[in-house]
Amino acid sequence: METNSRIFVAGHRGLVGSAICRSLRRQGFDNLISRELDELDLRDPAATRRFFAAEQPEFVVLAAAKVGGILANATFPADFIFDNLAIETSVIDAAAREGVRKLLFLGSSCIYPRLAPQPIREESLLTGPLEPTNEWYAIAKIAGIKLAQAYRAQHGLNAISLMPTNLYGPGDNFDPQSSHVLPALIRKMHDAVRAGAGEVVVWGSGTPRREFLHVDDLADAAVFLMLHYDSGEIVNVGTGVDLTIRELAETIARAAGFTGKLAFDASKPDGTPRKLLDVSRLTALGWKPKVALVDGIAETWRWYLANIAHE
Ligand code: GDP
């Protein structure tokens, strides 16, 4: 990839896509191509093929996806499986037909079996049943990995796939119903502090363990792999460190200045008990994350105050 290469970032408005655009520009790659959803619906294979034929991108980052937290997955299962399958099939097929030099596909740590040995190695893929609360999304992402591998095998498409752990950062979705836990708790703590409330409700038991990666680190890893990795084997991207949801809530409470009580709502699902990635494949390639969780939370908190809280 050269600094003047034509790079299509699909999903440039999202948490991941926008961070990858920032990271690419910071590293001198400024010939970026993007399209708004009302200009190009990537679920439409014919429109996607016309776009690729006209624009001739040389490199593609496939960060467009239908994403959401544990409740959104349960509420919109058809959207989560259909939109993601449709985006993947149309983009990967168009990329292969138009001779794209390299494509990066973004998967997710929820592709792994619910009870995979921890930390989760890439080899755990398809060795056991999935976590039911997000299996629609997971099935679509597994199909994306297999599409990338099949197009590499049959059509010589240099498609690589990375599996990020739970991501957070500026530009995240803070909607209490559809967001992931970290932005949801930032919002709940903020609302509680503003209202002088003595209690914040945390879903589930607080005991599940999760790993959180700042999206700027993920973006940095994505560019690193675009530059230095050319295999069809999937690569985990994470910090290698996890904590309980209770510990996460306590950390966010400190950042937000919330001194009240945490209440745990057992009527909400816990999801998978633990999700920690083994990141040794990536560290062996020479990449490490930079953002410590407390710093990343403080930064995301400030971003939330400046951009969302006043709405
Ligand atoms: P997951 O990693 O796919 O399970 O996705 P989430 O980020 O949505 O949820 C992670 C964990 O945080 C689950 O155990 C949730 O029950 C828990 N959690 C606690 N409070 C919240 C909240 O306000 N919103 C969300 N989305 N999850 C929460």
Side-chain angles (χ1 to χ4, degrees):
M1 201 160 70
E2 298 81 39
T3 48
N4 63 350
S5 297
R6 292 170 65 72
I7 307 171
F8 173 43
V9 180
H12 71 293
R13 291 268 171 214
L15 174 68
V16 170
S18 60
I20 290 178
C21 288
R22 289 196 300 274
S23 181
L24 283 166
R25 289 206 177 90
R26 248 195 326 266
Q27 296 180 59
F29 301 96
D30 52 11
N31 200 356
L32 307 187
I33 307 167
S34 57
R35 286 292 181 277
E36 303 304 326
L37 186 55
D38 61 1
E39 299 170 317
L40 173 62
D41 185 343
L42 293 169
R43 293 170 300 187
D44 177 345
T48 305
R49 270 177 73 176
R50 281 196 300 276
F51 163 77
F52 270 78
E55 289 295 332
Q56 294 291 313
E58 301 170 76
F59 294 87
V60 175
V61 176
L62 179 39
K66 167 88 179 164
V67 297
I70 198 160
L71 194 63
N73 270 267
T75 317
F76 306 107
D79 292 355
F80 275 84
I81 192 162
F82 176 84
D83 287 3
N84 289 309
L85 282 174
I87 292 168
E88 291 157 5
T89 49
S90 49
V91 172
I92 292 173
D93 185 68
R97 284 176 193 275
E98 294 301 327
V100 158
R101 288 168 60 191
K102 188 166 181 176
L103 178 143
L104 171 73
F105 173 68
L106 281 128
S108 161
S109 57
C110 70
I111 58 159
Y112 293 115
R114 171 183 162 81
L115 298 177
Q118 306 282 325
I120 311 172
R121 296 168 55 89
E122 288 87 350
E123 289 78 11
S124 289
L125 181 63
L126 293 173
T127 55
L130 297 166
E131 157 61 36
T133 52
N134 54 28
E135 68 171 325
W136 317 104
Y137 179 76
I139 292 277
K141 287 292 181 184
I142 293 170
I145 295 168
K146 293 297 164 189
L147 270 168
Q149 292 173 343
Y151 273 71
R152 169 182 288 278
Q154 188 179 334
H155 299 302
L157 177 66
N158 185 7
I160 62 171
S161 298
L162 71 79
M163 300 306 119
T165 194
N166 289 29
L167 300 171
Y168 72 97
D172 208 344
N173 167 19
F174 289 83
D175 173 67
Q177 291 306 308
S178 62
S179 67
H180 287 102
V181 59
L182 195 151
L185 291 179
I186 285 184
R187 183 185 179 130
K188 287 181 185 175
M189 303 278 178
H190 171 75
D191 289 350
V193 169
R194 208 174 40 177
E199 186 178 280
V200 160
V201 175
V202 180
W203 294 355
S205 63
T207 59
R209 300 185 70 90
R210 292 289 185 276
E211 174 188 21
F212 297 92
L213 179 71
H214 193 285
V215 72
D216 286 346
D217 273 335
L218 181 271
D220 192 52
V223 177
F224 176 86
L225 291 171
M226 282 298 275
L227 292 170
H228 303 297
Y229 187 71
D230 288 305
S231 158
E233 299 290 327
I234 63 176
V235 183
N236 289 341
V237 183
T239 61
V241 179
D242 65 354
L243 74 176
T244 65
I245 297 299
R246 176 192 286 276
E247 288 164 343
L248 175 74
E250 289 165 353
T251 308
I252 296 175
R254 277 193 292 278
F258 173 73
T259 52
K261 266 184 48 196
L262 301 176
F264 291 90
D265 176 0
S267 72
K268 292 287 195 304
D270 268 346
T272 192
R274 190 176 187 201
K275 200 164 40 168
L276 173 66
L277 293 179
D278 182 316
V279 289
S280 47
R281 190 173 283 178
L282 183 59
T283 45
L285 292 168
W287 187 88
K288 274 205 317 277
K290 296 193 189 77
V291 185
L293 183 59
V294 277
D295 299 334
I297 287 174
E299 185 219 1
T300 308
W301 169 257
R302 286 193 298 273
W303 188 90
Y304 174 75
L305 290 186
N307 293 277
I308 311 272
H310 60 274
E311 277 174 9

